[in-house]
């Protein structure tokens, strides 16, 4: 897209120069190029941070991009002594343990996606009107905490 636009712009300048037309486009081109570079960098940063590197679960950054999250209840679970438990395990065992925790959190809302933060923080959404409605939340949380994670 940038190459085609650059070629087209160059062609417009050449044609305009031959016809005696001159355009004051330098400030606009400068701002457009800054915008294009900024958007490209932002996309790379967001793409790199949307999943946890070990587990592959969506990271908390992904919550920002979920549409309709304002109408959901957001819950968080912090696993105590997380670093002490998981720190000495190889990456494969860490992934298995993280997915076991995420599966247990799924008790609360079977249709939800669990997001993983740092240091044992897990966050998930409960959409209103779904199976994990807010009215049944206390019983589901009690069931969750009765299971040894």
């Amino acid at each position: 897209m940038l190459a085609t636009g650059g070629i087209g712009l160059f062609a417009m300048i050449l044609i305009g120069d031959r016809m005696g037309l001159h355009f004051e486009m330098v400030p606009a081109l400068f701002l457009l190029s800054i915008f294009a570079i900024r958007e490209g960098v932002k996309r790379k940063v967001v793409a790199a941070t949307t999943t946890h590197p070990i587990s592959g679960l969506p990271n908390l950054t992904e919550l920002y991009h979920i549409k309709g999250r304002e109408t959901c209840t957001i819950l968080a679970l912090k696993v105590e002594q997380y670093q002490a438990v998981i720190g000495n395990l190889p990456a494969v065992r860490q992934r298995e343990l993280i997915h076991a925790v995420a599966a247990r959190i799924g008790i609360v809302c079977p249709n939800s996606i669990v997001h993983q933060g740092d240091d044992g923080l897990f966050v998930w959404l409960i959409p209103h009107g779904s199976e994990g409605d807010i009215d049944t939340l206390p019983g589901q949380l009690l069931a969750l905490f009765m299971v040894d994670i």
Side-chain angles (χ1 to χ4, degrees):
M1 186 173 79
L2 288 175
T4 305
I7 293 170
L9 183 62
F10 185 69
M12 280 180 38
I13 292 172
L14 282 179
I15 293 170
D17 190 46
R18 293 195 188 256
M19 296 177 67
L21 300 172
H22 296 284
F23 302 100
E24 291 293 330
M25 294 191 292
V26 174
L29 289 176
F30 179 70
L31 290 176
L32 282 174
S33 60
I34 288 176
F35 175 75
I37 291 169
R38 185 172 169 249
E39 286 299 309
V41 168
K42 192 177 356 175
R43 276 193 211 125
K44 286 180 186 175
V45 168
V46 168
T49 59
T50 55
T51 58
H52 191 270
I54 293 176
S55 67
L57 291 173
N59 208 333
L60 296 183
T61 308
E62 185 70 17
L63 281 175
Y64 179 75
H65 299 288
I66 294 176
K67 296 193 185 317
R69 71 181 183 282
E70 296 84 9
T71 60
C72 296
T73 301
I74 298 177
L75 297 174
L77 170 72
K78 177 93 172 168
V79 179
E80 292 183 9
Q81 304 294 327
Y82 180 78
Q83 287 297 348
V85 171
I86 207 167
N88 296 326
L89 297 175
V92 173
R93 290 289 296 141
Q94 286 184 24
R95 188 177 306 111
E96 289 174 0
L97 183 61
I98 291 168
H99 282 278
V101 171
R104 300 290 170 90
I105 295 171
I107 293 170
V108 175
C109 187
N111 298 326
S112 68
I113 296 175
V114 179
H115 299 263
Q116 183 179 0
D118 296 326
D119 297 325
L121 179 66
F122 295 89
V123 176
W124 72 103
L125 302 176
I126 297 183
H128 293 280
S130 69
E131 290 179 47
D133 198 11
I134 198 71
D135 295 335
T136 60
L137 183 59
Q140 290 174 330
L141 286 177
L142 182 60
L144 172 67
F145 288 111
M146 291 181 78
V147 176
D148 185 26
I149 299 179

